[in-house]
């Protein structure tokens, strides 16, 4: 190809995707590397992975700021921008960015898959030696990268950014998040750090392990904690969104929260047993009370109200427990269908070999 042309490599991935690796176990521990790397092409030292859903207002600004920080590190880098089925002009902008900047890899998913799966697609597509995961709305300051790299140089495999404060979020959301993270820490099998989102720097081996995990319900921060190795925090203040609105309405946030608990632990199932045992003890006490008052007074206590309370309470508890068990069964069903976790329409990047 003549030098200087801005040819775009368009790789339509849908055909291959049904064999998309994240859903299968391979004997090769690193089977998923570089789906789009040219033969002989070297891997960059750093990848930045950003899932983008309807981020047309902010994505150019994010790209500029991330690029500046990456250039400042002196490392070779790529910026993987995953379009998660946006309905605005995000994908058109990502393609333009890929045209203008050889460091950009634009990945288009076949439809909206949700943040965690878009992130998974980005991790699958990237090929850097170290991978920075961050949101596309500049709530996570990319300027933290040099400090994260320094901590990783000292031997950490994961450097996660822990929120010292989050002035960008409403007080109610802040309070609910604080309670949630503490509850999650209590129930999860592996401790998940408090007040920590997905903003983190991970090593290639951690990325490969995450990508090779076959689960469909992907709670990335839980998966990263589960992997182990040395994981170090770095404190920061979470900014407000640079532009646009949150893509996490309460419904999606709740789904993420439930998914976080269910995919990190089976303790909610044990909770059913504890509640059942407590109800049994209460029932025995009530029986004893009824018997004693019958022997002492010759009559059982009257009480339509208390009867109703107990019946409704027990009904509620049973339905709640059925719901919890149902959540696990639903996940088993999803997993047993074996469908790909995400589907990529195409990956677009400027051909690095053509003198760009
Ligand atoms: N996002 C996504 N798919 C979705 C929802 C969100 O890829 O279905 C991306 C979004 O573009 C952003 C990140 O996930 O980069 C976090 O979303 P957002 O900032 O809206 O969440 P919040 O910070 O308000 O919790
Ligand atoms: Mg945000």
């Amino acid at each position: 190809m003549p030098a200087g042309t801005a040819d775009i490599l368009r790789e339509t991935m849908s055909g291959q995707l049904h064999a998309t690796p994240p859903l299968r176990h391979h004997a090769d521990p690193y089977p998923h590397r570089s789906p789009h790397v040219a033969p002989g092409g070297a891997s960059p030292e750093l990848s930045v992975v950003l899932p983008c859903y309807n981020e047309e207002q902010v994505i150019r600004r994010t790209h500029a700021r991330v690029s500046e920080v990456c250039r400042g590190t002196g490392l070779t880098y790529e910026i993987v921008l995953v379009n998660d089925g946006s309905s605005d002009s995000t994908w058109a902008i990502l393609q333009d960015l890929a045209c203008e900047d050889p460091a950009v890899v634009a990945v288009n998913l076949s439809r909206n898959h949700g943040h965690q799966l878009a992130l998974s697609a980005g991790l699958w597509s990237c090929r850097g030696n170290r991978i920075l995961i961050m949101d596309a709305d500049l709530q996570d300051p990319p300027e933290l990268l040099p400090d994260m790299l320094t901590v990783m140089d000292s031997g950490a495999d994961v450097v996660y950014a822990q929120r010292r404060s989050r002035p960008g979020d409403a007080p109610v959301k802040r309070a609910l998040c604080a309670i949630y993270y503490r509850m999650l820490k209590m129930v999860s099998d592996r401790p998940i750090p408090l007040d920590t989102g997905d903003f983190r720097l991970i090593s290639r081996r951690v990325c490969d392990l995450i990508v090779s995990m076959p689960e469909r319900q992907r709670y990335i921060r839980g998966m990263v904690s589960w992997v182990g190795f040395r994981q170090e925090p770095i404190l920061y203040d979470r900014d407000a969104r640079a532009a646009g609105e949150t893509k996490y309405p309460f419904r999606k946030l709740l789904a993420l929260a439930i998914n976080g608990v269910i995919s990190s632990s089976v303790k909610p199932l044990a909770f059913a047993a504890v509640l059942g045992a407590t109800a049994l003890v209460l029932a025995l006490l009530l029986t004893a009370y009824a018997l004693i008052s019958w022997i002492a007074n010759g009559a059982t206590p009257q009480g339509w109200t208390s009867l109703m309370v107990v019946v409704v309470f027990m009904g509620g508890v049973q339905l709640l427990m059925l719901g919890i068990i149902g959540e696990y069964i639903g996940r088993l069903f999803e997993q047993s269908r074996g469908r790909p976790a995400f589907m990529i329409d195409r990956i677009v990047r400027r051909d690095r070999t053509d003198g760009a």
Side-chain angles (χ1 to χ4, degrees):
M1 256 185 273
T5 51
D7 284 37
I8 296 288
L9 270 191
R10 288 171 196 277
E11 301 169 32
T12 304
M13 303 293 295
S14 49
Q16 298 162 31
L17 247 135
H18 293 287
T20 306
L23 299 170
R24 315 214 184 290
H25 282 302
H26 288 259
D28 174 2
Y30 305 122
H32 319 311
R33 270 194 145 165
S34 322
H36 54 283
V37 71
S43 297
E45 287 158 300
L46 176 72
S47 295
V48 185
V49 175
L50 301 123
C52 314
Y53 177 57
N54 292 344
E55 301 286 8
E56 63 180 4
Q57 294 179 41
V58 70
I59 194 63
R60 276 193 175 275
R61 233 186 303 169
T62 308
H63 168 255
R65 225 168 110 184
V66 169
S67 301
E68 200 186 318
V69 172
C70 289
R71 275 196 299 272
T73 63
L75 301 174
T76 53
Y77 67 93
E78 66 176 2
I79 302 175
V80 180
L81 299 162
V82 183
N83 175 41
D84 186 17
S86 301
S87 51
D88 66 0
S89 62
T90 300
W91 176 236
I93 298 173
L94 296 193
Q95 288 182 94
D96 289 348
L97 285 173
C99 232
E100 295 157 18
D101 180 358
V104 167
V105 179
V107 180
N108 194 34
L109 298 189
S110 66
R111 58 170 169 78
N112 180 253
H113 283 66
H115 177 203
Q116 299 291 307
L117 291 180
L119 197 53
S120 303
L123 293 177
W124 180 74
S125 312
C126 74
R127 58 206 173 111
N129 202 27
R130 292 172 173 192
I131 299 102
L132 177 70
I133 301 171
M134 57 180 283
D135 286 356
D137 59 359
L138 291 175
Q139 277 196 291
D140 307 324
E143 290 73 20
L144 227 55
L145 176 63
D147 289 344
M148 289 174 148
L149 287 169
T150 311
V151 178
M152 194 169 265
D153 285 340
S154 72
D157 267 82
V158 176
V159 185
Y160 56 90
Q162 198 162 30
R163 297 157 190 171
R164 188 168 31 207
S165 70
R166 37 195 304 164
D169 290 324
V172 179
K173 183 171 175 183
R174 283 209 298 261
L176 284 178
C177 286
I179 296 170
Y180 171 71
Y181 282 124
R182 275 144 194 87
M183 190 196 76
L184 184 62
K185 190 171 181 184
M186 275 186 335
V187 300
S188 63
D189 302 329
R190 290 270 330 147
I192 296 178
L194 293 174
D195 304 320
T196 304
D198 289 314
F199 183 29
R200 58 189 66 212
L201 183 69
I202 60 175
S203 64
R204 170 46 60 187
R205 63 176 176 171
V206 170
C207 179
D208 284 337
L209 284 167
I210 302 281
V211 168
S212 67
M213 289 184 196
E215 61 232 61
R216 289 196 76 262
Q217 298 286 337
R218 303 178 79 79
Y219 189 63
I220 302 288
R221 63 199 82 160
M223 293 161 86
V224 172
S225 296
W226 184 85
V227 164
F229 303 116
R230 220 179 102 196
Q231 310 209 358
E232 296 285 345
I234 190 164
L235 291 176
Y236 81 116
D237 300 305
R238 186 160 164 88
D239 295 331
R241 203 170 224 289
E245 296 197 333
T246 175
K247 309 299 177 305
Y248 263 110
F250 183 70
R251 181 179 49 81
K252 272 196 188 176
L253 206 59
L254 189 67
L256 180 75
I258 293 176
N259 193 26
V261 174
I262 303 243
S263 58
S264 308
S265 168
V266 288
K267 284 196 187 132
L269 290 174
F271 174 64
V274 172
L275 217 64
T278 314
L280 205 68
V281 171
L282 268 178
L284 283 175
L285 288 176
L286 279 172
T287 315
Y289 172 63
L291 268 176
I292 290 167
S293 50
W294 181 60
I295 293 165
N297 309 330
T300 48
Q302 302 279 307
W304 182 87
T305 316
S306 51
L307 197 68
M308 281 311 283
V309 168
V310 171
V311 168
V312 171
F313 174 78
M314 286 313 298
V317 166
Q318 282 170 10
L319 285 178
L320 176 72
M321 291 311 136
L322 270 182
I324 292 179
I325 296 168
E327 286 288 332
Y328 285 93
I329 294 178
R331 278 162 174 73
L332 282 174
F333 170 66
E334 284 283 312
Q335 194 69 32
S336 70
R337 284 203 292 194
R339 292 188 179 178
F342 54 82
M343 288 155 290
I344 297 177
D345 164 40
R346 62 180 54 184
I347 297 176
V348 177
R349 69 188 171 97
R350 193 161 137 181
D351 189 356
R352 260 164 244 248
T353 57
D354 68 357

